[in-house]
Amino acid sequence: MPIDLSLYLVLDPDLCGGSAGMVATAQQAAANGVTVVQLRAPNWKKRQWLETAQQLKAVLAPLNVPLIINDHVDIALAVDADGVHVGQQDLPVAEVRRLLGPNKFVGLSTNCLAQFNEAEAMYQAGVIDYVGVGPVYPTGTKKDASPVLATDEVNTMMINCFLPAVAIGGIQAGKVASLIAQGLNGVAVVSAICGKADVAAATQGLLAEIHAARGNTQ
Amino acid sequence: MPIDLSLYLVLDPDLCGGSAGMVATAQQAAANGVTVVQLRAPNWKKRQWLETAQQLKAVLAPLNVPLIINDHVDIALAVDADGVHVGQQDLPVAEVRRLLGPNKFVGLSTNCLAQFNEAEAMYQAGVIDYVGVGPVYPTGTKKDASPVLATDEVNTMMINCFLPAVAIGGIQAGKVASLIAQGLNGVAVVSAICGKADVAAATQGLLAEIHAARGNTQ
């Protein structure tokens, strides 16, 4: 089954207030409609990765929301997560696919047209399942983010695009519709959900925007 | 075959001047008698880990010197390294063993008697192959090092010890003999080899100390 990229939550340890806050945020967001949750914690030691990933799996699996692990294939293998997301400086996707086997999701961040075109070939070869496209807006939550993509470049990517793609980078409530209209399959958010006083309402608001942009209200 | 811990080189990216310097250092040190090489680069992205590990394997395998990967089981799996070394905050050793299978080396850092005693049980259960014991001296190459172990505590560990143990932390030429005399199977070094103008001579000097302390000159 293809991954549903509609509303893709990337957890941030600082904004969520640590592991317990990340698990609580994920649970609430998943119960209110996020379609994917990614654990990303570049500064953590692996023990904390493992324990938090186990807790996230326990709350997400009953809700049928896939858990994606950022970067660390070993953590994904250890907790039998649903997939791994890597950037251009992480393990090559072919290596990630080989280690994970055929039944897990592999996602790849693309930050320019050349990377996106390369990713299309990887998708056709069955190596990856989707790409992240961004940053589409300036972001404060990723320290080593690439320059913001021009709207024209995103438009060029989306022409005749068959590769499932989720927009990422600085996406807040009110900024969703144009991305869906451009042809993105969904939006990945961090601070639009993490750290919000009402995670359920934030999630529902983003979902409503996505559905409205798609021309339906389901 | 048990791991030969006699002279265990932990590569440091800064001291060696990056990947190329690490590979050159490992090659020279292995050709001159180091018995284990560990790749440790806490600040690297995985792409650099992978490429450097592949290069290290290419120079070490012909010399029959095992390559140990610090922390990242996925990198060890990707390059089919000889083992993984973890600290107390990394993946639990049982998980490392499960992911690596029975035919690889698993090492664990121990920084106090309680951890050492726990490790003995893990060794008896076939989960680990050896421990690191330290820091035995103050060290500048590990930012998050534990307090220096008291000589008494090391002595207590070594009484009736059947667990292969390598001393680590601030070990320089001239500081080896007492550790071997205490019962350690070998010494792990970083700056005693990495960054030395004459890596071969540094390696040979350390080996001579080890052999002298063991009461032979082979």
Side-chain angles (χ1 to χ4, degrees):
Chain A
M1 205 166 66
I3 191 165
D4 179 357
L5 298 171
S6 299
L7 185 52
Y8 185 127
L9 172 62
V10 181
L11 294 168
D12 182 277
D14 295 331
L15 293 174
C16 291
S19 289
M22 291 164 94
V23 176
T25 302
Q27 201 280 332
Q28 270 203 285
N32 284 277
V34 300
T35 56
V36 186
V37 171
Q38 182 189 123
L39 175 56
R40 180 175 181 277
N43 299 323
W44 280 7
K45 303 286 276 180
K46 292 262 175 86
R47 189 69 59 101
Q48 193 170 2
W49 269 95
L50 181 72
E51 290 168 359
T52 306
Q54 284 166 334
Q55 292 166 23
L56 286 170
K57 196 185 166 185
V59 301
L60 295 175
L63 297 166
N64 290 313
V65 172
L67 172 64
I68 305 291
I69 301 295
N70 186 281
D71 187 11
H72 295 312
V73 176
D74 45 9
I75 298 296
L77 291 171
V79 304
D80 191 27
D82 300 287
V84 166
H85 186 95
V86 289
Q88 297 283 331
Q89 296 306 310
D90 300 331
L91 277 177
V93 287
E95 200 55 62
V96 176
R97 172 61 69 200
R98 192 176 71 82
L99 292 171
L100 283 182
N103 300 319
K104 300 294 182 182
F105 296 123
V106 175
L108 174 65
S109 297
T110 61
N111 312 116
C112 65
L113 186 59
Q115 290 171 1
F116 187 85
N117 290 338
E118 222 181 322
E120 287 192 307
M122 292 289 108
Y123 176 71
Q124 285 183 292
V127 174
I128 65 170
D129 296 283
Y130 75 94
V131 289
V133 168
V136 291
Y137 297 111
T139 171
T141 55
K142 189 165 194 288
K143 303 288 170 248
D144 57 348
S146 301
V148 173
L149 277 169
T151 306
D152 280 1
E153 194 158 14
V154 176
N155 284 336
T156 306
M157 289 175 180
M158 291 302 126
I159 293 169
N160 298 323
C161 176
F162 51 83
L163 167 60
V166 61
I168 189 163
I171 300 172
Q172 297 292 340
K175 289 177 159 184
V176 170
S178 62
L179 296 164
I180 301 296
Q182 275 182 294
L184 276 304
N185 298 77
V187 293
V189 299
V190 185
S191 59
I193 290 182
C194 296
K196 291 288 182 196
D198 190 340
V199 164
T203 304
Q204 290 163 6
L206 291 163
L207 272 178
E209 284 188 56
I210 294 164
H211 292 146
R214 286 178 181 164
N216 64 50
T217 54
Q218 62 175 286
Chain B
M1 204 167 66
I3 191 166
D4 179 356
L5 297 171
S6 299
L7 184 52
Y8 185 128
L9 171 62
V10 181
L11 294 169
D12 182 276
D14 296 332
L15 293 174
C16 291
S19 288
M22 291 163 94
V23 175
T25 301
Q27 199 280 332
Q28 270 203 287
N32 284 278
V34 298
T35 57
V36 186
V37 172
Q38 180 189 124
L39 175 57
R40 181 175 180 276
N43 299 322
W44 280 6
K45 304 286 275 182
K46 293 261 175 87
R47 188 70 59 99
Q48 192 171 4
W49 269 96
L50 181 72
E51 290 168 359
T52 307
Q54 285 166 334
Q55 291 166 24
L56 286 171
K57 195 186 167 186
V59 301
L60 295 175
L63 297 166
N64 290 315
V65 173
L67 171 63
I68 304 290
I69 301 295
N70 187 280
D71 188 9
H72 295 311
V73 176
D74 44 10
I75 298 294
L77 291 171
V79 305
D80 191 29
D82 300 288
V84 166
H85 186 94
V86 289
Q88 298 282 330
Q89 297 305 311
D90 301 331
L91 278 176
V93 288
E95 201 54 61
V96 176
R97 173 59 71 201
R98 192 176 69 82
L99 292 172
L100 284 182
N103 299 320
K104 301 293 181 182
F105 297 124
V106 176
L108 174 65
S109 296
T110 62
N111 312 115
C112 65
L113 186 57
Q115 290 170 1
F116 187 85
N117 291 339
E118 221 180 322
E120 286 192 308
M122 291 288 109
Y123 177 70
Q124 286 182 292
V127 175
I128 65 170
D129 296 284
Y130 75 93
V131 288
V133 168
V136 292
Y137 297 110
T139 170
T141 55
K142 190 166 192 288
K143 303 290 168 246
D144 57 347
S146 299
V148 173
L149 276 168
T151 305
D152 280 1
E153 195 159 15
V154 177
N155 284 334
T156 306
M157 289 176 181
M158 293 301 127
I159 292 168
N160 298 324
C161 176
F162 51 83
L163 168 60
V166 61
I168 189 164
I171 301 173
Q172 298 292 339
K175 289 177 157 183
V176 170
S178 62
L179 295 164
I180 301 296
Q182 274 181 295
L184 276 303
N185 298 76
V187 293
V189 298
V190 185
S191 60
I193 290 182
C194 296
K196 291 288 183 194
D198 191 340
V199 164
T203 304
Q204 290 164 7
L206 291 162
L207 272 177
E209 284 188 57
I210 294 164
H211 292 146
R214 285 176 180 166
N216 63 49
T217 54
Q218 60 173 284

